Every structure is written in structure tokens, then in C-alpha cells.
Amino acid sequence: MTANDAPSGISRRGLLGLAGAGVVGAGVGIGVDRFVLPRESASSSGASASYPFYGEHQSGITTAAQDRLHFASFDVADISRSDLIGLLTDWTAASARMTQGLGVGPDGAVGGRLDAPPDDTGEALDLPASGLTITFGFGPTLFTSADGTDRFGLANRRPAALIDLPHFAGDALLADFVGGDLCIQACSDDPQVAVHAIRNLSRIAFGRASIRWSQLGFGRTSSTTREQVTPRNLFGFKDGTANVKAEDTDQVNGHVWVPDGDSAAWMTGGSYLVARKIRMTIETWDRTALREQQRVVGRDKGAGAPLSGGTEFSDPDFGKKDATGAQLIDTDAHLRLAHPKQNNGAVLLRRGYNFVDGNDDLGRLNAGLFFLAFQRDPRTQFVPIQLSLAGHDAMNEYIRHVGSAIFAVPPGATKGSYIGSTLFEA
Amino acid sequence: MISRNARAGLAIAAGATALLALTACVPNTSASGNGESTSVAVSSTADACAVSKSTAPSGTVVFTVKNNTDQVTEFYLLADDGLRVVGEVENVSPGVPRTLTVHLAAGKYFTVCKPGMAGEGVGKAEFTVTGSGKAIELTGTRSRLTAAAKNYVAYLRDQVSQLVPATQGFLAAYLAGDTATAMALYPTARAYYERIEPVAESFGDLDPELDNREADVASGDEWTGWHRIEKDLWPPANAGYLPLTPDQRIAYAAKLTTNTQQLSDAVHASDYSVSIDAISNGAIGLLDEVASGKITGEEEIWSHTDLWDFQANLEGAKVAYDVVRDIVAPKNPALVKTLDSRFGSLETQLAGHGSLATGFRFYDQLTTSEIKALADGVNALGEPLSRLTAAVVD
């Protein structure tokens, strides 16, 4: 049995047999590729969920947002085009196994020779797949490096939509958290499973690519399906209420997946990912009056309803005023400036995570939101929205954008092929 | 100092693979049966190592070593790296010729004699083997393993026999108060140690006593060895450091001398041997040393001469790899191809920062991105190298 034939859904211990029914196939409606289990709290996709790695689209985009993240950006070493393809092939094989709850390599963590290091690092031994998805992306510098070199003969394959992001007002980017030739987003409901994925994939890459920067996220800040409860970010507000949801087929097809006929044919079925590391000055925020916090966000802190009234999912009324004639949703409120109605209908599929990277030298928590957004074309989606926010958002007083990257996320791989094969095989 | 891998690595042969071990008295490989060989006469004198020919066609070469000194001598045939021992005869008494028979492939070698059996030797000269068109008759795997292990022991002995006088030279300058000379000799003398560090680690307390860093020492325990003297030569600024007194200097120097001699005696013991897997584990352990100590600047926190150690560790790993390379090549050609390439890349990369002969850049002069690039190179080599032992014993 080859690695790819392994029965889907088998846990590393081979228990949890019910997952064997895994599922979804490419092209079945939209990509709600979640293995459906009865769930009580719709807070997560469930420890025993397993998602197929192969398919029309990559998993980890419209998949119900898992609770944990380990994201890594890589620099590709001075290697050949065929070595790069070799890396993607090895990553594909390992990912196909790990997403099914299997260890890396035929011998796994403990089945190999005593005289050799194990194929798999072992910390996910006995753990189920835990909803693991592994999503790959290609950064602008993979196509043309910073000094203009076409390292892999890919320069003329760079999609027009894979732009170099402009400098936004207030950007305080740190070189340590910017860019990358490749990225891997590993999401799971078990943090150890997500870390295991990045650890093993980076190990496989030694000599071919090395981690440029990485980010752990401990709590999702968006829901990507209707079943999920809207989570809260570190400001304490519900986040992602108006997010694109997997069930909204038209929205997903219109705003997330690259359709046939867009600029780069090899990206059909893919998407574009913008990652922004947003530091929150939470200490300042926490001593801000509730009224001001709600004004900044534009929503009620408890239920998440827009300040124009209603419930969490009510449409905000941006024209509604109070008795004094002031806008109920402030003109600089985050909700207003980020809303599709204010951005020519532009929406994003957000999939961000809360982070706390210890503390800084001043004893403040190094905390914030690791923003991840998938979209069909950043030029008409992320960029105009962020231009609007960067200029006026009342929230800017409490946040700093310290990291930034953009990636072309190729379509899903088909069995027997490798992730990104459409880029290399014209 | 220390890494767990290395400690387990070069321990004296025992256990399952011990059958591959050998004692130092294994006879030299006998002449192959094809009848044709090249004879080379070697004359070892006090300051020369004259060879009657400096070239030979590939195939069997017989060196007849005559000792024209008044002390016991040795003759080494080294590989093109000038480090790895391809063949050697030791304990050559004055007036009693000995022979060394080797089967050589085309390539560059070095001949060198070592009268008194210590130091770097005299009369080191290139010896070129040209392609004869004849296939080199390979001996059986068993005897190749035996020869490989024997030659590796010879290499270890060669290194410690150079470490002893190099350490003396360094300590003499230090005790004489010639700080500049001592600082210059420190990293180059240590290179002999760093090339074979896993060996010291296999002798219990020797490595801690010789090479502990200050942070390795538990509160209340005495800190001795190279790094104790390093701190005295490169005293920390603004930290209220009290220089060692003359008596303390003498004591620490004496201790280093004694421990170094103990290491030399242990490796020169007639029953000293290493198993073939210990050799490959030594290669892995040496690169782990680089990855965990040198690439972080932790090994030489006062002198910042980490790249000298890095180079010596890399050379030591390469020698150990070369010893087992021909054994692995037919069994796992892909691994050998990868390792050849990645050793070469890392050697080239490190050479961009200097050499043992001319000196390296100091660790605190390197930029973060330069260090990251070196770390990438170490990881690129370390991952496939970690599979070497399994391939050797397969």
C-alpha cells in the first residue's frame, strides 16, 4: 500500500474507525469538505474530524476554521527547479498522510531502524487527525527574487493578482515577519497536531527551504461555516460575524476561488492569501471605556450586534443616527470601514487567529491577531479594504501591523500529482 | 562540548556491531594477487621524509619505510584532505624497515613521517596516483570495514599526537604572559581537539575537564580546561572580572596538560579500537556539535572563535564520513551523492569566512543573516548525515 492509499480517517492508533467515511469530493457543490460529525458545540470541527488532502481546492480555506494554527513562511535555498518540484512532491506525500492521522514516511515514528532517526518526529503519535489541514502558498519572490532573478523559470508565470502589497499608512512592519517564497498554513483542533505538521514539513525541507518566520495561533477569530459560533478576538469582541461562509456558494465562488479565465490559468481553483501580523496594544485597550470600545468597533461587545440595532447577524444601518444627529455607527468605526457596502462589495474569507508571543521588554503581552484572508484577487479585495482601514479606522490607535505577506494558493492536488503542479507543468 | 549523540557515538566498541571492531594490531592489507605493484622507498630522518617516487599508477603500492633517526618513527599516507589516514605504519624502530601495502585509486595523497611519534610530522609531500586503466581490486566488505576502522584509529592518534604539542605551545605563551601569541594559538590548537571531540567524550570525565563552558559547570564545582583559560585571555569588560593569579594560571595550565596527555594515552593504548558505527556516529555527533554550540556562538563566548571550531568539527565529520563512504556507496548511492554535495556546499560556504590557516571572522562580526545561512547549510547536511549509521550497518 502506498502512502496515498492509506485509508482516510484512521487515527494514528488505528482507532476511531468512524472517521473512515471521510469525505467529499472535488466538485461537489462548494468546498465544504468537512467530514460531517454530529456536533454539540459548534465551536470546532471536532477532534476526530479528518479532511482529505487531495481535491479540487486545497483544504484549510472553506474548511470549518479549526481552533489552532501553526503558520510558517519559508525561503527556498539555492536549488534547481527540479529540486523545488521534489520538495513540493515530498511535502504533498507527507501532508496526505498527516491529514489522515498517519505519521510521516512509511516507517513513521517508531517503525523504523534503531540505527536511524525516525521518519516521523513522534509527538502526534496516538493523536487523531484532529481536523488537520495543510495549505500551501507561493510568494512573489518564488517567481522573481528580490534582486530580480528568475531562479526557477517562473517569472512569466507570476499571476498579475500576486502583487507586491503597497505600504499602508501606519504600517510598522518588522523585517522578521515579512514575505517568504513559500508558506504553509497548518490548522487543527489540537495544537500539538498543527505543530507536528510544520515541524515535520520543515524537517523534510532542510537543504531545500528553511523557515523565514512562523506564527502560532491559539484561538480562531473567524467562523467559516454557519454552524460555527462566532469567536472573539483579544479585544473581547466577536470577530468574523460577516465573514464569507462556506455554505454561501455564490460568495465563495465569486470572492474566494480563482475562476477559469482569470489572469493565470494555473491558478484556477486556487485563491490568494494575505497574512498580516497585527499587534494589539491590549493594555491601552483594556483601560478604554466600554462606550469607546464599542464606538471603535461599531458593534455591541456582548451580543455583537451592530450599534444601529438588531442582533449579531442584523445588517448594519450605516445611515441611522441618534437623537443628536450623530451616526450610531461612527464614521470611523471598524465595522463601517471594513464593510462590503463601503468597499464596492469587496469581501474576504477571513481565517485569522489570536496570538500571544510571550511579552515585550516593557512587560506588555506581545499579543494580537494573526490575520489570514483568502480571496480571488487582492487588488480588488484586500488592498482597497485595507487602504480604507489604514487611513481612518478608529481601531488604528490600538493596533500595529508588524508582519505582512502575500501568497498565491494553488488549487488542490490530485492523487499521484503534487501541490502546485499546474504552475510547473504548463 | 558534549552532545548526547556523540557521547553515545564514539564509545568504545561494544554490543551488536562489535564484531566489526578490530584491534590496532590487525595486519596491513596484504598485496592483491594480480602480481603488479609499485614499490616506493621511504627514508625517515630527523627533518625529512624522502620518498623514492612521488607518483604511482593506481593499484597496489608498497611503501618500504626505513627509519634513519635515533627514535621510533611513523609513516602516514594521507588522503587529499591531508587529514584522513589511508594507511600507516607505526612503531618503526631505527634500522628495521617496515612495509605498508595499500590499494590506491587515482587521486592526490600526502606522505608524511613522524619521528618521535608526536607533532604534525616532517616532510609532508604530495603523492599522486594516476589512473592505470586497471580496475582496483576491492577487498571484501569485512576486510574493508576492518581497514576503515584501523585507519580511523590511526587518524585519531595522529590528531591527538598533534594536539599535545599544540597545547604546550599555547600554554607556554599563556604562562609567559605573551597574551597576543596565546590568543592567536588558542583556536588553532583547539582544532586538533574539535576534530575528534566525540573521542574525548567517550572517556568519561575527560571532555568535561578539558572543554566545559562556564555555563556547564554546576555551582560549587571547579571549572577547568580550555574555556577557563579562554575567559582569562579575553576577560569580560565591565563585569568586575578578576584575572587569574600566576599560581592559578600555572595550576590550570598543568591540569589542561595532564588531561590532554590522558587523552593521548587513552587513544594510544594498544587495545584501543572503534567500531564502524561509532565512526559514522562520530560524524553525526560532530555536526550536532556545530548545530547546537558553534552556530549559536555559545562555545566560544569570550574569544568568539566559533568558526575555527566549526571548521574543525566539519573536517572531523568529513574524515569520518570518508572513512565509511566506500562502504555505504554501493548500498545507498543516493545518500552518498547527497552527502558529497552537501559537504561540498558547506565547506565552500564556510571557506567564504576564512580558513584555519589564515583565520576566520569572529562570531560577533557575523550578521544575523550570515549566521542563518550557515545554520541552513548545517541543517542541509545534518539531516541526511543522520541516516549514515543505518546505511553503514545495513
mmCIF file of all heavy atoms in Angstrom, chain A residues 75 77 113 115-119 203-212, chain B residues 17 277 281 342 372 376 379-381 383-384 386-387 389-391 393-394:
data_model
loop_
_atom_site.group_PDB
_atom_site.id
_atom_site.type_symbol
_atom_site.label_atom_id
_atom_site.label_comp_id
_atom_site.label_asym_id
_atom_site.label_seq_id
_atom_site.Cartn_x
_atom_site.Cartn_y
_atom_site.Cartn_z
ATOM 1 N N ASP A 75 11.953 30.410 3.065
ATOM 2 C CA ASP A 75 12.830 30.856 1.989
ATOM 3 C C ASP A 75 13.334 29.607 1.277
ATOM 4 O O ASP A 75 13.773 28.663 1.938
ATOM 5 C CB ASP A 75 14.043 31.605 2.542
ATOM 6 C CG ASP A 75 13.674 32.993 3.051
ATOM 7 O OD1 ASP A 75 12.749 33.597 2.473
ATOM 8 O OD2 ASP A 75 14.302 33.448 4.018
ATOM 9 N N ALA A 77 16.069 27.613 -0.765
ATOM 10 C CA ALA A 77 17.529 27.690 -0.899
ATOM 11 C C ALA A 77 17.923 27.802 -2.373
ATOM 12 O O ALA A 77 17.071 27.805 -3.264
ATOM 13 C CB ALA A 77 18.164 26.461 -0.270
ATOM 14 N N ARG A 113 14.313 1.662 11.603
ATOM 15 C CA ARG A 113 15.567 1.102 12.117
ATOM 16 C C ARG A 113 16.000 1.786 13.406
ATOM 17 O O ARG A 113 15.886 2.984 13.542
ATOM 18 C CB ARG A 113 16.658 1.320 11.068
ATOM 19 C CG ARG A 113 16.329 0.767 9.693
ATOM 20 C CD ARG A 113 16.733 -0.678 9.629
ATOM 21 N NE ARG A 113 18.088 -0.842 10.105
ATOM 22 C CZ ARG A 113 19.169 -0.713 9.337
ATOM 23 N NH1 ARG A 113 19.034 -0.430 8.063
ATOM 24 N NH2 ARG A 113 20.363 -0.885 9.848
ATOM 25 N N ASP A 115 18.982 2.222 14.204
ATOM 26 C CA ASP A 115 20.203 2.975 13.927
ATOM 27 C C ASP A 115 19.954 4.268 13.165
ATOM 28 O O ASP A 115 20.894 4.988 12.854
ATOM 29 C CB ASP A 115 21.186 2.120 13.122
ATOM 30 C CG ASP A 115 21.839 1.082 14.000
ATOM 31 O OD1 ASP A 115 22.376 1.467 15.044
ATOM 32 O OD2 ASP A 115 21.797 -0.115 13.649
ATOM 33 N N ALA A 116 18.695 4.524 12.837
ATOM 34 C CA ALA A 116 18.399 5.741 12.077
ATOM 35 C C ALA A 116 17.397 6.577 12.848
ATOM 36 O O ALA A 116 16.598 6.051 13.616
ATOM 37 C CB ALA A 116 17.825 5.370 10.709
ATOM 38 N N PRO A 117 17.439 7.898 12.652
ATOM 39 C CA PRO A 117 16.392 8.710 13.275
ATOM 40 C C PRO A 117 15.047 8.351 12.650
ATOM 41 O O PRO A 117 14.989 8.039 11.455
ATOM 42 C CB PRO A 117 16.790 10.141 12.930
ATOM 43 C CG PRO A 117 17.897 10.061 11.941
ATOM 44 C CD PRO A 117 18.392 8.673 11.855
ATOM 45 N N PRO A 118 13.982 8.395 13.421
ATOM 46 C CA PRO A 118 12.667 8.028 12.865
ATOM 47 C C PRO A 118 12.230 8.986 11.753
ATOM 48 O O PRO A 118 12.591 10.157 11.764
ATOM 49 C CB PRO A 118 11.733 8.134 14.072
ATOM 50 C CG PRO A 118 12.615 8.082 15.273
ATOM 51 C CD PRO A 118 13.921 8.696 14.855
ATOM 52 N N ASP A 119 11.429 8.458 10.818
ATOM 53 C CA ASP A 119 10.891 9.284 9.731
ATOM 54 C C ASP A 119 10.010 10.392 10.286
ATOM 55 O O ASP A 119 9.978 11.498 9.772
ATOM 56 C CB ASP A 119 10.031 8.433 8.781
ATOM 57 C CG ASP A 119 10.878 7.501 7.942
ATOM 58 O OD1 ASP A 119 12.100 7.741 7.839
ATOM 59 O OD2 ASP A 119 10.320 6.526 7.400
ATOM 60 N N ARG A 203 11.365 19.935 8.524
ATOM 61 C CA ARG A 203 12.467 18.959 8.566
ATOM 62 C C ARG A 203 12.699 18.368 7.176
ATOM 63 O O ARG A 203 13.839 18.230 6.722
ATOM 64 C CB ARG A 203 12.119 17.861 9.572
ATOM 65 C CG ARG A 203 13.197 16.806 9.681
ATOM 66 C CD ARG A 203 12.777 15.706 10.639
ATOM 67 N NE ARG A 203 13.796 14.665 10.659
ATOM 68 C CZ ARG A 203 13.549 13.398 10.966
ATOM 69 N NH1 ARG A 203 12.331 13.015 11.295
ATOM 70 N NH2 ARG A 203 14.520 12.518 10.955
ATOM 71 N N ILE A 204 11.604 18.035 6.519
ATOM 72 C CA ILE A 204 11.712 17.495 5.167
ATOM 73 C C ILE A 204 12.395 18.491 4.233
ATOM 74 O O ILE A 204 13.090 18.129 3.293
ATOM 75 C CB ILE A 204 10.299 17.130 4.640
ATOM 76 C CG1 ILE A 204 9.779 15.880 5.363
ATOM 77 C CG2 ILE A 204 10.288 16.927 3.125
ATOM 78 C CD1 ILE A 204 8.299 15.606 5.128
ATOM 79 N N ALA A 205 12.218 19.769 4.542
ATOM 80 C CA ALA A 205 12.728 20.813 3.641
ATOM 81 C C ALA A 205 14.201 21.149 3.839
ATOM 82 O O ALA A 205 14.794 21.813 2.992
ATOM 83 C CB ALA A 205 11.898 22.086 3.819
ATOM 84 N N PHE A 206 14.809 20.719 4.946
ATOM 85 C CA PHE A 206 16.206 21.101 5.213
ATOM 86 C C PHE A 206 17.078 20.892 3.978
ATOM 87 O O PHE A 206 17.063 19.828 3.375
ATOM 88 C CB PHE A 206 16.776 20.303 6.374
ATOM 89 C CG PHE A 206 16.326 20.797 7.719
ATOM 90 C CD1 PHE A 206 15.955 19.918 8.713
ATOM 91 C CD2 PHE A 206 16.286 22.164 7.991
ATOM 92 C CE1 PHE A 206 15.552 20.368 9.963
ATOM 93 C CE2 PHE A 206 15.882 22.621 9.238
ATOM 94 C CZ PHE A 206 15.514 21.719 10.223
ATOM 95 N N GLY A 207 17.821 21.921 3.630
ATOM 96 C CA GLY A 207 18.676 21.843 2.454
ATOM 97 C C GLY A 207 17.974 22.382 1.212
ATOM 98 O O GLY A 207 18.615 22.687 0.221
ATOM 99 N N ARG A 208 16.641 22.476 1.274
ATOM 100 C CA ARG A 208 15.893 22.974 0.114
ATOM 101 C C ARG A 208 15.141 24.256 0.459
ATOM 102 O O ARG A 208 14.977 25.147 -0.377
ATOM 103 C CB ARG A 208 14.925 21.901 -0.398
ATOM 104 C CG ARG A 208 15.680 20.693 -0.946
ATOM 105 C CD ARG A 208 14.751 19.621 -1.488
ATOM 106 N NE ARG A 208 14.096 18.870 -0.415
ATOM 107 C CZ ARG A 208 13.339 17.791 -0.611
ATOM 108 N NH1 ARG A 208 13.127 17.344 -1.842
ATOM 109 N NH2 ARG A 208 12.786 17.161 0.411
ATOM 110 N N ALA A 209 14.657 24.343 1.675
ATOM 111 C CA ALA A 209 13.978 25.557 2.127
ATOM 112 C C ALA A 209 14.095 25.621 3.639
ATOM 113 O O ALA A 209 14.176 24.592 4.299
ATOM 114 C CB ALA A 209 12.504 25.535 1.715
ATOM 115 N N SER A 210 14.133 26.837 4.178
ATOM 116 C CA SER A 210 14.189 26.964 5.635
ATOM 117 C C SER A 210 13.199 28.020 6.095
ATOM 118 O O SER A 210 12.843 28.937 5.353
ATOM 119 C CB SER A 210 15.600 27.321 6.095
ATOM 120 O OG SER A 210 15.924 28.629 5.689
ATOM 121 N N ILE A 211 12.763 27.875 7.323
ATOM 122 C CA ILE A 211 11.745 28.773 7.852
ATOM 123 C C ILE A 211 12.292 30.205 7.940
ATOM 124 O O ILE A 211 13.375 30.433 8.443
ATOM 125 C CB ILE A 211 11.262 28.314 9.240
ATOM 126 C CG1 ILE A 211 10.514 26.989 9.107
ATOM 127 C CG2 ILE A 211 10.363 29.367 9.875
ATOM 128 C CD1 ILE A 211 9.942 26.469 10.413
ATOM 129 N N ARG A 212 11.512 31.114 7.415
ATOM 130 C CA ARG A 212 11.857 32.541 7.463
ATOM 131 C C ARG A 212 11.221 33.163 8.709
ATOM 132 O O ARG A 212 11.837 33.890 9.441
ATOM 133 C CB ARG A 212 11.341 33.205 6.182
ATOM 134 C CG ARG A 212 11.562 34.694 6.064
ATOM 135 C CD ARG A 212 10.914 35.185 4.752
ATOM 136 N NE ARG A 212 11.027 36.615 4.593
ATOM 137 C CZ ARG A 212 12.068 37.213 4.009
ATOM 138 N NH1 ARG A 212 13.078 36.491 3.551
ATOM 139 N NH2 ARG A 212 12.102 38.512 3.879
ATOM 140 N N THR B 17 27.366 -4.513 17.127
ATOM 141 C CA THR B 17 28.243 -4.279 15.994
ATOM 142 C C THR B 17 29.701 -4.481 16.352
ATOM 143 O O THR B 17 30.581 -4.194 15.576
ATOM 144 C CB THR B 17 28.052 -2.855 15.466
ATOM 145 O OG1 THR B 17 28.190 -1.973 16.568
ATOM 146 C CG2 THR B 17 26.712 -2.693 14.826
ATOM 147 N N ASP B 277 30.300 1.668 13.323
ATOM 148 C CA ASP B 277 29.144 2.536 13.552
ATOM 149 C C ASP B 277 29.517 3.700 14.463
ATOM 150 O O ASP B 277 28.932 4.781 14.389
ATOM 151 C CB ASP B 277 27.954 1.752 14.117
ATOM 152 C CG ASP B 277 28.289 1.050 15.418
ATOM 153 O OD1 ASP B 277 29.413 0.515 15.521
ATOM 154 O OD2 ASP B 277 27.445 1.032 16.322
ATOM 155 N N ASN B 281 28.702 7.495 13.680
ATOM 156 C CA ASN B 281 28.037 8.297 14.716
ATOM 157 C C ASN B 281 28.901 9.473 15.143
ATOM 158 O O ASN B 281 28.382 10.519 15.554
ATOM 159 C CB ASN B 281 27.689 7.429 15.932
ATOM 160 C CG ASN B 281 26.423 6.615 15.704
ATOM 161 O OD1 ASN B 281 25.576 7.016 14.914
ATOM 162 N ND2 ASN B 281 26.313 5.488 16.373
ATOM 163 N N ARG B 342 26.422 18.035 -0.208
ATOM 164 C CA ARG B 342 26.163 18.964 0.898
ATOM 165 C C ARG B 342 27.407 19.220 1.749
ATOM 166 O O ARG B 342 27.556 20.307 2.301
ATOM 167 C CB ARG B 342 24.975 18.473 1.720
ATOM 168 C CG ARG B 342 23.715 18.544 0.854
ATOM 169 C CD ARG B 342 22.440 18.425 1.617
ATOM 170 N NE ARG B 342 21.312 18.555 0.689
ATOM 171 C CZ ARG B 342 20.060 18.280 0.997
ATOM 172 N NH1 ARG B 342 19.764 17.864 2.205
ATOM 173 N NH2 ARG B 342 19.112 18.425 0.099
ATOM 174 N N LYS B 372 22.318 32.752 9.808
ATOM 175 C CA LYS B 372 21.182 31.944 9.367
ATOM 176 C C LYS B 372 21.574 31.097 8.158
ATOM 177 O O LYS B 372 21.214 29.922 8.042
ATOM 178 C CB LYS B 372 20.002 32.855 9.010
ATOM 179 C CG LYS B 372 18.860 32.190 8.230
ATOM 180 C CD LYS B 372 17.830 31.602 9.157
ATOM 181 C CE LYS B 372 16.709 30.822 8.489
ATOM 182 N NZ LYS B 372 16.147 31.317 7.263
ATOM 183 N N ASP B 376 21.448 27.126 7.911
ATOM 184 C CA ASP B 376 20.741 26.396 6.849
ATOM 185 C C ASP B 376 21.643 25.322 6.247
ATOM 186 O O ASP B 376 21.204 24.211 5.966
ATOM 187 C CB ASP B 376 20.277 27.359 5.747
ATOM 188 C CG ASP B 376 19.062 28.175 6.157
ATOM 189 O OD1 ASP B 376 18.454 27.852 7.200
ATOM 190 O OD2 ASP B 376 18.722 29.135 5.434
ATOM 191 N N ASN B 379 21.972 22.436 8.686
ATOM 192 C CA ASN B 379 20.761 21.614 8.667
ATOM 193 C C ASN B 379 20.674 20.786 7.390
ATOM 194 O O ASN B 379 20.238 19.633 7.409
ATOM 195 C CB ASN B 379 19.513 22.493 8.775
ATOM 196 C CG ASN B 379 19.330 23.045 10.180
ATOM 197 O OD1 ASN B 379 19.744 22.422 11.160
ATOM 198 N ND2 ASN B 379 18.729 24.200 10.284
ATOM 199 N N ALA B 380 21.080 21.397 6.284
ATOM 200 C CA ALA B 380 21.006 20.701 4.998
ATOM 201 C C ALA B 380 21.893 19.463 5.009
ATOM 202 O O ALA B 380 21.551 18.422 4.452
ATOM 203 C CB ALA B 380 21.429 21.630 3.867
ATOM 204 N N LEU B 381 23.042 19.564 5.668
ATOM 205 C CA LEU B 381 23.938 18.417 5.763
ATOM 206 C C LEU B 381 23.511 17.478 6.889
ATOM 207 O O LEU B 381 23.554 16.251 6.742
ATOM 208 C CB LEU B 381 25.376 18.904 6.007
ATOM 209 C CG LEU B 381 26.431 17.828 6.289
ATOM 210 C CD1 LEU B 381 26.506 16.829 5.141
ATOM 211 C CD2 LEU B 381 27.791 18.477 6.522
ATOM 212 N N GLU B 383 20.658 16.645 8.230
ATOM 213 C CA GLU B 383 19.502 15.758 8.069
ATOM 214 C C GLU B 383 19.888 14.468 7.328
ATOM 215 O O GLU B 383 19.670 13.376 7.844
ATOM 216 C CB GLU B 383 18.375 16.520 7.367
ATOM 217 C CG GLU B 383 17.035 15.836 7.423
ATOM 218 C CD GLU B 383 16.463 15.671 8.835
ATOM 219 O OE1 GLU B 383 16.746 16.498 9.735
ATOM 220 O OE2 GLU B 383 15.737 14.695 9.042
ATOM 221 N N PRO B 384 20.502 14.534 6.142
ATOM 222 C CA PRO B 384 20.906 13.273 5.501
ATOM 223 C C PRO B 384 22.029 12.563 6.267
ATOM 224 O O PRO B 384 22.074 11.332 6.299
ATOM 225 C CB PRO B 384 21.366 13.696 4.100
ATOM 226 C CG PRO B 384 21.657 15.162 4.187
ATOM 227 C CD PRO B 384 20.735 15.698 5.255
ATOM 228 N N SER B 386 22.324 12.226 9.322
ATOM 229 C CA SER B 386 21.762 11.464 10.438
ATOM 230 C C SER B 386 21.376 10.046 10.003
ATOM 231 O O SER B 386 21.113 9.189 10.827
ATOM 232 C CB SER B 386 20.546 12.196 11.020
ATOM 233 O OG SER B 386 19.458 12.168 10.114
ATOM 234 N N ARG B 387 21.340 9.807 8.691
ATOM 235 C CA ARG B 387 20.969 8.477 8.192
ATOM 236 C C ARG B 387 22.189 7.624 7.849
ATOM 237 O O ARG B 387 22.071 6.501 7.345
ATOM 238 C CB ARG B 387 20.075 8.608 6.955
ATOM 239 C CG ARG B 387 18.910 9.528 7.232
ATOM 240 C CD ARG B 387 17.757 9.408 6.256
ATOM 241 N NE ARG B 387 16.611 10.129 6.814
ATOM 242 C CZ ARG B 387 15.718 9.580 7.633
ATOM 243 N NH1 ARG B 387 15.815 8.304 7.952
ATOM 244 N NH2 ARG B 387 14.732 10.288 8.126
ATOM 245 N N THR B 389 24.618 6.156 9.756
ATOM 246 C CA THR B 389 24.905 4.938 10.520
ATOM 247 C C THR B 389 24.019 3.774 10.077
ATOM 248 O O THR B 389 24.496 2.649 9.910
ATOM 249 C CB THR B 389 24.738 5.206 12.029
ATOM 250 O OG1 THR B 389 25.688 6.196 12.409
ATOM 251 C CG2 THR B 389 24.983 3.946 12.843
ATOM 252 N N ALA B 390 22.742 4.059 9.870
ATOM 253 C CA ALA B 390 21.845 2.997 9.424
ATOM 254 C C ALA B 390 22.319 2.428 8.091
ATOM 255 O O ALA B 390 22.239 1.220 7.839
ATOM 256 C CB ALA B 390 20.424 3.526 9.307
ATOM 257 N N ALA B 391 22.833 3.313 7.242
ATOM 258 C CA ALA B 391 23.316 2.850 5.934
ATOM 259 C C ALA B 391 24.613 2.053 6.089
ATOM 260 O O ALA B 391 24.861 1.102 5.346
ATOM 261 C CB ALA B 391 23.539 4.047 5.010
ATOM 262 N N VAL B 393 25.590 0.184 8.757
ATOM 263 C CA VAL B 393 25.412 -1.122 9.390
ATOM 264 C C VAL B 393 24.379 -1.979 8.672
ATOM 265 O O VAL B 393 24.158 -3.121 9.044
ATOM 266 C CB VAL B 393 25.010 -0.979 10.880
ATOM 267 C CG1 VAL B 393 26.070 -0.208 11.631
ATOM 268 C CG2 VAL B 393 23.655 -0.311 11.016
ATOM 269 N N ASP B 394 23.752 -1.414 7.669
ATOM 270 C CA ASP B 394 22.716 -2.114 6.917
ATOM 271 C C ASP B 394 23.252 -3.427 6.349
ATOM 272 O O ASP B 394 24.320 -3.449 5.764
ATOM 273 C CB ASP B 394 22.234 -1.217 5.775
ATOM 274 C CG ASP B 394 20.784 -1.515 5.465
ATOM 275 O OD1 ASP B 394 20.162 -2.235 6.263
ATOM 276 O OD2 ASP B 394 20.291 -1.012 4.443
#
